[in-house]
Amino acid sequence: MTPDYSAILNTIYAEIQPLLSEGEVASYIPQLSTISPQHFGMAVYCLDGRTFAVGDAHQKFSLQSITKLFALALAFSREGDSIWTRVGREPSGNPFNSLVQLEYERGKPRNPFINAGALVISDILSTRFVQSDIAVLQFARMIADEPNIDFDTTVAQSEHETAHRNYAIAHLMKDFGNFHNPVRTVIESYCRQCSITMTCAELAKAGSFLAQHGSIPWNGTQILDASSAKRMNALMLTCGTYDAAGDFAYRVGLPAKSGVGGGILALVPGDLAVAVWSPGLDTTGNSLAGTYALERFTTLTARSIF
Ligand code: GLU
């Protein structure tokens, strides 16, 4: 039976209201701390083209780490399995911006969704494209079918001014020989990439190719082959929600990627993509109300991968 997505989103919207004052907005990127934690938006993009939305689903927000998914899909589609010589595929069990593991694992990041791994992917894209940030932006515009998607240069600049840890990570990897382009060029591109803004409605649509075995639902363009799309989904499930991926899988049961801007993109393979945004984060860096909303979504729709 097809769930009544409209009614379910409205139920979730009512349920999450008390949670909006509980999370903490990210402040290590100063510009992100100016956003009110009271926002909440959620949007569903079904592979048959139906869309559903509630709350602030049409308001732009900073994608941050969710862009790591787009960068990885672009790099994977162009470079194939060779990327795995430079970055691993295991959960890290450490905070997303940790340097510790990188030192004793000799500069090879655990996975492409922690900052070290995403910086290696940016480095790979910087070798392939003149400007990796523009390549990711164009890719995002294509998969969202939305030419107006853009960077938020104020957020990018704010991140760059405080990007000491990302500089340290990149220099450490360069010392181990796992970073080929100038550190500053790559970090500047990475900060612009992370500053891309979308609405929940745009994000759900942009992620839908990953729910449809790598092909864009509305025009059939094959972005990734089915096997690669399966692998992306597996990485999202095991590594996509920081150091809480196990708990997220337990509670929500879907492959997902979160960002410190408070967004989460989750996939029901073969069925739909769902995006949620609420800037208040829990202690693991995932949107507090957003995670709860997705937990309720899979419960109320009886849709998950398990
Ligand atoms: N641009 C952010 C950083 O590198 C992304 C972090 C995130 O969303 O997890 O710190």
Side-chain angles (χ1 to χ4, degrees), residues 17-258:
Q17 293 302 319
L19 298 179
L20 296 182
S21 42
E22 282 189 24
E24 290 269 335
V25 177
S27 57
Y28 77 100
I29 299 174
Q31 192 62 25
L32 292 183
S33 67
T34 62
I35 310 293
S36 162
Q38 293 300 318
H39 290 293
F40 179 88
M42 190 165 187
V44 173
Y45 186 89
C46 296
L47 299 183
D48 61 13
R50 289 174 303 141
T51 58
F52 303 90
V54 75
D56 300 319
H58 298 289
Q59 186 164 331
K60 300 265 190 195
F61 64 94
S62 194
L63 290 186
Q64 293 299 320
S65 266
I66 300 171
T67 64
K68 292 172 181 172
L69 190 60
F70 304 150
L72 176 63
L74 180 59
F76 201 16
S77 69
R78 300 300 166 95
E79 308 285 338
D81 281 334
S82 68
I83 63 172
W84 306 122
T85 60
R86 309 253 327 254
V87 58
R89 305 187 294 255
E90 288 291 345
S92 70
N94 277 299
F96 70 99
N97 57 3
S98 172
L99 279 144
V100 179
Q101 207 163 37
L102 204 53
E103 165 71 4
Y104 64 76
E105 294 187 354
R106 307 198 56 77
K108 182 173 178 182
R110 273 289 172 105
N111 69 66
F113 293 148
I114 53 173
N115 280 14
L119 288 168
V120 164
I121 296 296
S122 284
D123 185 46
I124 290 170
L125 292 175
S126 294
T127 300
R128 178 146 194 138
F129 297 99
V130 179
Q131 280 188 276
S132 71
D133 53 329
I134 301 285
V136 175
L137 179 65
Q138 282 170 344
F139 182 76
R141 287 173 174 167
M142 189 230 334
I143 58 176
D145 196 23
E146 181 45 76
N148 296 323
I149 284 165
D150 217 335
F151 304 125
D152 179 334
T153 49
T154 311
V155 169
Q157 195 179 343
S158 177
E159 174 167 12
H160 188 251
E161 281 163 9
T162 54
H164 314 299
R165 207 166 247 281
N166 284 335
Y167 268 95
I169 288 170
H171 279 294
L172 187 56
M173 293 193 293
K174 202 162 184 70
D175 188 62
F176 280 114
N178 194 18
F179 208 87
H180 302 165
N181 293 281
V183 167
R184 189 183 175 94
T185 310
V186 175
I187 301 250
E188 284 177 347
S189 286
Y190 170 80
C191 292
R192 279 194 295 274
Q193 169 200 306
C194 288
S195 81
I196 291 173
T197 61
M198 279 192 197
T199 69
C200 288
E202 289 166 347
L203 180 59
K205 192 171 179 185
S208 61
F209 77 96
L210 287 166
Q212 185 162 277
H213 311 296
S215 84
I216 291 185
W218 60 91
N219 64 14
T221 304
Q222 198 77 38
I223 303 290
L224 290 169
D225 61 50
S227 172
S228 301
K230 177 189 73 178
R231 295 176 199 288
M232 294 280 298
N233 275 261
L235 284 167
M236 291 170 77
L237 184 74
T238 53
C239 312
T241 45
Y242 306 115
D243 201 12
D247 191 56
F248 189 94
Y250 178 86
R251 288 175 57 191
V252 178
L254 295 178
K257 183 72 203 87
S258 56

Side-chain angles (χ1 to χ4, degrees), residues 251-252 294-303:
R251 288 175 57 191
V252 178
L294 289 169
E295 182 177 359
R296 292 295 290 146
F297 182 78
T298 50
T299 302
L300 294 171
T301 58
R303 296 281 196 278

